[in-house]
Amino acid sequence: MNSSNTKSRRPVPEVKTGLFSKQEGAEAIINNVRHVHSSILGLNDPCWKATEASFNGTILPYPWELSSPKVLLISQSQKRSECIEGLVASTQFGQKSQNRERLKLVTEELLSNSFYHAYKNQSKQDKYERLSNVTLAPGEEVKLSYAENRNGLHLVVEDQGGSLTFEDFRGCFSRCFFRTNKEFAFDEKHSGAGLGLYLIYGVTTHLSIQVEPGKKTRFSVWLAQTNQFDPDSFSFNFFEE
Amino acid sequence: MHNDKFKVEKVVVDGKEQLRLTGIIDEDTDFATLEKSSGPLYLNLSGITGINSLGIRGWVNFWKTHTDKPVFYVECPPVIVRQMSMIPSFCGHGSVVSVYAPYICSNCEAEQLVLVGSDALASNPPKIAESFLCTKCNAGEMELDGSPRQYFAFKK
């Protein structure tokens, strides 16, 4: 179901709400939809309510966003693994192997994305070369914060580059998303080919991206405990200020 | 470049030669060892502990250019099964022989991997035990950790 009759002061971006699969959600994103909410509660879903409020200029935290997180600042790419292992070991969430595997994957992909793709040079190319040991310049540190409760873990990764656009994100999905009669396509020119973003979307229950162009990109994700994980209940939101 | 995160060794299981892969598949993984074997390739993936997006890219691209011999994936751990379910071309032209399914105890949260063989995988959804008694606490039921539909999505 597509909702389009919301009263608002700002133009309402296209949204997809209802009950559908992750693949259908990905298809919607490829078709330019920035707000995807699948829930049995439909328009009464509290996550959707928070998104809807943002169209009226009210910023509400999502119900899954936890307060009082632990915060880490990372500036060296080679410290990534150490940081991820430390994070996983310090959480209850990471005690279960299925959770541990998803948490490692999401953190690794988000951090490597921040190190290698968030910062651009004057020619708009990646400032730091992939496959090299990188030390970010002062002020470019990547901020990682996390908090958990018995239902899951909330993770935020924030860079100071703000270079991700919805078109980039959509492009990643177009390359990665499988259609029945087409082959899975990789972009040979780009490391990872955006596959990391697709994997993050695949293993998280909620994914919200906020971009302040040239200033900041904030990935906020909710990883549900496996026993709370409902493949039909998820959301994706992309906000560009 | 030497890579101690990933290893390949030959093992013989039930009289059949397998290549056992262990460690992490990432940007440093060199799949050249897999090229050297002749005949059908039985890849035992039970020792794979992690894979990132660059590793997936390398893996898929490797199989795209090596379609000359039959490939069979044996004892695939959850970390690999998850990729198979998310990325349809992850298996290339290979066939899945067996996978591990993760079970967890409803009482003590003990974890156990249960091998799902080719007979059980032949049906869709695979015929797996819904639950069984936890041998650790002898009180709780072991159940699949996560959604079966999600976990076995590669069977589509």
Side-chain angles (χ1 to χ4, degrees), chain A residues 88-134:
Chain A
V88 170
S90 71
T91 61
Q92 274 297 314
F93 184 85
Q95 302 308 305
K96 281 170 71 179
S97 56
Q98 292 279 302
N99 290 341
R100 188 160 59 241
E101 179 202 310
R102 289 186 299 142
L103 180 55
K104 279 185 179 178
L105 176 81
V106 169
T107 317
E108 159 63 20
E109 298 298 339
L110 286 178
L111 285 181
S112 54
N113 226 42
S114 296
F115 273 98
Y116 298 110
H117 302 303
Y119 300 102
K120 306 291 180 190
N121 57 25
Q122 287 181 332
S123 330
K124 306 273 181 204
Q125 302 298 310
D126 288 338
K127 183 175 169 184
Y128 299 108
E129 201 182 329
R130 188 124 202 171
L131 308 180
S132 62
N133 288 336
V134 164

Side-chain angles (χ1 to χ4, degrees), chain A residues 98 101 109 184 188 226, chain B residues 53-54 57 82 89 111 145:
Chain A
Q98 292 279 302
E101 179 202 310
E109 298 298 339
F184 187 88
E188 302 290 344
T226 46
Chain B
S53 58
L54 292 174
R57 180 179 183 236
R82 200 180 294 284
S89 61
E111 296 180 313
D145 190 10

Side-chain angles (χ1 to χ4, degrees), chain A residues 183, chain B residues 60-71 91-94:
Chain A
E183 227 184 73
Chain B
V60 173
N61 283 341
F62 178 80
W63 294 117
K64 262 195 208 167
T65 52
H66 294 80
T67 53
D68 53 326
K69 53 187 146 194
V71 179
C91 291
H93 65 290

Side-chain angles (χ1 to χ4, degrees), chain A residues 4-240:
Chain A
S4 58
N5 58 354
T6 316
K7 284 182 189 172
S8 67
R9 277 174 249 139
R10 294 179 177 186
V12 177
E14 198 174 339
V15 300
K16 181 176 173 70
T17 60
L19 196 61
F20 44 86
S21 69
K22 275 267 170 97
Q23 285 208 344
E24 287 169 304
E27 273 189 317
I29 294 166
I30 290 168
N31 290 322
N32 257 327
V33 176
R34 294 173 183 228
H35 303 280
V36 169
H37 283 257
S38 174
S39 165
I40 199 162
L41 299 174
L43 297 177
N44 292 319
D45 177 49
C47 293
W48 164 246
K49 294 277 184 199
T51 298
E52 194 181 33
S54 73
F55 301 154
N56 295 323
T58 310
I59 304 299
L60 296 176
Y62 284 109
W64 46 270
E65 293 191 303
L66 303 178
S67 52
S68 310
K70 291 178 185 165
V71 179
L72 300 168
L73 285 177
I74 310 157
S75 59
Q76 289 176 284
S77 63
Q78 63 269 42
K79 296 271 183 193
R80 233 162 58 224
S81 301
E82 199 180 301
C83 165
I84 294 169
E85 292 300 334
L87 184 161
V88 170
S90 71
T91 61
Q92 274 297 314
F93 184 85
Q95 302 308 305
K96 281 170 71 179
S97 56
Q98 292 279 302
N99 290 341
R100 188 160 59 241
E101 179 202 310
R102 289 186 299 142
L103 180 55
K104 279 185 179 178
L105 176 81
V106 169
T107 317
E108 159 63 20
E109 298 298 339
L110 286 178
L111 285 181
S112 54
N113 226 42
S114 296
F115 273 98
Y116 298 110
H117 302 303
Y119 300 102
K120 306 291 180 190
N121 57 25
Q122 287 181 332
S123 330
K124 306 273 181 204
Q125 302 298 310
D126 288 338
K127 183 175 169 184
Y128 299 108
E129 201 182 329
R130 188 124 202 171
L131 308 180
S132 62
N133 288 336
V134 164
T135 300
L136 299 174
E140 290 183 338
E141 293 85 357
V142 177
K143 185 175 157 189
L144 186 152
S145 36
Y146 60 100
E148 63 179 326
N149 63 21
R150 58 201 292 270
N151 297 321
L153 184 136
H154 175 215
L155 177 80
V156 176
V157 173
E158 205 172 290
D159 66 56
Q160 312 306 315
S163 61
L164 184 73
T165 64
F166 183 68
E167 276 309 303
D168 294 336
F169 195 88
R170 216 179 124 242
C172 294
F173 271 48
S174 306
R175 286 195 293 271
C176 297
F177 186 60
F178 177 79
R179 285 169 192 276
T180 345
N181 56 355
K182 281 188 184 172
E183 227 184 73
F184 187 88
F186 281 115
D187 179 349
E188 302 290 344
K189 290 179 189 165
H190 300 99
S191 298
L195 180 61
L197 292 175
Y198 179 74
L199 295 176
I200 292 163
Y201 168 80
V203 302
T204 55
T205 298
H206 300 292
L207 167 59
S208 170
I209 304 167
Q210 284 174 292
V211 184
E212 289 179 51
K215 289 182 184 169
K216 187 188 284 187
T217 302
R218 180 180 188 268
F219 282 84
S220 180
V221 306
W222 174 252
L223 287 156
Q225 285 276 4
T226 46
N227 59 3
Q228 304 283 324
F229 187 73
D230 171 4
D232 293 324
S233 183
F234 62 92
S235 69
F236 165 81
N237 288 284
F238 194 101
F239 298 98
E240 227 164 350

Side-chain angles (χ1 to χ4, degrees), chain B residues 5-24:
Chain B
K5 292 179 285 184
F6 177 77
K7 285 190 177 69
V8 180
E9 58 176 345
K10 275 186 188 171
V11 292
V12 177
V13 179
D14 298 332
K16 264 186 197 161
E17 193 175 272
Q18 295 184 353
L19 290 183
R20 187 175 144 78
L21 279 55
T22 51
I24 293 170

